[in-house]
Amino acid sequence: MENVILVIHLILALSLIGIVLLQRSEGGGLGIGGGGGGGGIMSSRGAATALGKLTWLFAIAFLGTSITLTVIAAKNSADSSVIDTLGLEAPVAPDTDAPVTPDVTDLLPPTGGADDSLTPPRAD
């Protein structure tokens, strides 16, 4: 089911791109441009209205398939996690009641005598 909706989603995306490119923009567009003569079946204004309605239809269908794919993906991921797909076992906590603290002795700066300064040596 997810694959069918994904294919429909991709077809809608390509169709939406094509319809938007066919529409006449302020600069002339890729498609309908042509003269304003009345000899055609459809006037340029009627074609622009039809393309606008088709754009809205494709956009609403595209958003619908996007939301549907999101819901399907959420349902599929709620059952398991990425760790489960790897086949690894979860780490087991120690049985002691005392809190485990890390060893911080390696994090302290080295202790030295009074001559060991953190400033760089002077250039004389």
Side-chain angles (χ1 to χ4, degrees):
M1 181 69 178
E2 185 177 3
N3 290 335
V4 173
I5 296 174
L6 185 60
V7 168
I8 293 171
H9 185 72
L10 293 174
I11 291 171
L12 283 171
L14 293 175
S15 300
L16 190 59
I17 290 169
I19 285 294
V20 168
L21 288 176
L22 284 176
Q23 289 182 6
R24 176 174 254 235
S25 66
E26 295 170 356
L30 291 178
I32 298 179
I41 297 173
M42 206 176 205
S43 68
S44 63
R45 177 71 181 147
T49 303
L51 284 177
K53 290 179 181 179
L54 202 56
T55 303
W56 275 105
L57 178 72
F58 283 157
I60 291 169
F62 181 79
L63 290 175
T65 56
S66 297
I67 292 171
T68 305
L69 285 171
T70 303
V71 169
I72 290 173
K75 284 183 182 178
N76 290 344
S77 68
D79 297 338
S80 63
S81 71
V82 175
I83 304 286
D84 294 338
T85 60
L86 294 175
L88 300 175
E89 293 183 19
V92 178
D95 293 335
T96 62
D97 291 334
V100 178
T101 57
D103 183 23
V104 294
T105 56
D106 294 336
L107 299 176
L108 298 175
T111 58
D115 292 340
D116 292 339
S117 173
L118 295 178
T119 61
R122 292 183 56 182
D124 290 327

